[in-house]
Amino acid sequence: MTETEQNRTQHPEETLAPSRRTTKRGGGDPAGRGRTTIADGVVEKIAGMAARDVVGVHTMGSGISRTFGAVKERVPGTSKSVTRGVKAEVGEVQTALDLEIVVDYGVSIADVARAVRENVVAAVERMTGLEVVEVNIAVSDVKLPEEEEEEPEQPRIQ
């Protein structure tokens, strides 16, 4: 075996064309290169959707925010705000949430609050990787069966 042939067997990448040579750049795990930040609004949307999925949660937000939201939703091109009634404080590795909910009459508020916490924590931690340190829940109202819905009427002119 000639010296050139020995060299090829010991260092095969050197005999490849320049475009096929393997080069290590940056070193380390690619997942560790750079930083990911998650906006408060992202966590608020995830938490809002997770809270609304719980049976017994009628709606989210205080009476005033629901009224403003109903007016805003009448504007063409706007959609229902999933962040209504949700406030998030997001750090680098942890988040804390405040939720304001309206529950249906007849449900156990303690059970609904527990289910909301569990659902919100699971969804936020699974989707963001952030640790949820607390979920504070304020029950601002109870929806009675005979109460009218606060949803706006359909516009007469389309």
Side-chain angles (χ1 to χ4, degrees):
M1 192 179 266
T2 67
E3 186 178 327
T4 307
E5 289 172 329
Q6 277 183 329
N7 227 3
R8 284 186 197 147
T9 45
Q10 290 175 353
H11 306 286
E13 70 277 355
E14 291 177 4
T15 61
L16 297 173
S19 63
R20 300 218 26 213
R21 288 187 184 147
T22 57
T23 307
K24 287 191 173 187
R25 298 181 186 189
D29 179 22
R33 296 182 199 169
R35 196 167 84 172
T36 303
T37 57
I38 300 171
D40 292 0
V42 171
V43 174
E44 289 169 355
K45 282 184 179 182
I46 295 167
M49 293 297 292
R52 283 174 174 78
D53 283 345
V54 174
V55 174
V57 174
H58 179 73
T59 191
M60 303 281 295
S62 66
I64 293 172
S65 71
R66 291 193 318 267
T67 301
F68 283 128
V71 170
K72 182 180 163 193
E73 288 166 12
R74 292 181 102 175
V75 177
T78 60
S79 60
K80 202 170 197 174
S81 174
V82 295
T83 61
R84 186 184 325 141
V86 183
K87 178 68 179 129
E89 292 179 25
V90 180
E92 288 186 25
V93 295
Q94 295 179 325
T95 186
L97 294 150
D98 295 323
L99 296 126
E100 191 167 359
I101 65 173
V102 175
V103 298
D104 291 320
Y105 176 79
V107 299
S108 165
I109 293 174
D111 290 346
V112 170
R114 185 179 313 104
V116 167
R117 274 192 191 88
E118 289 172 359
N119 214 30
V120 167
V121 167
V124 171
E125 288 185 347
R126 178 179 49 82
M127 292 181 71
T128 66
L130 295 168
E131 176 191 4
V132 179
V133 292
E134 65 181 8
V135 178
N136 299 312
I137 298 173
V139 178
S140 61
D141 201 358
V142 173
K143 169 65 174 76
L144 300 174
E146 65 273 359
E147 287 180 338
E148 288 184 26
E149 286 295 315
E150 295 175 355
E151 297 300 317
E153 297 176 17
Q154 293 298 322
R156 291 188 272 177
I157 301 172
Q158 294 198 14

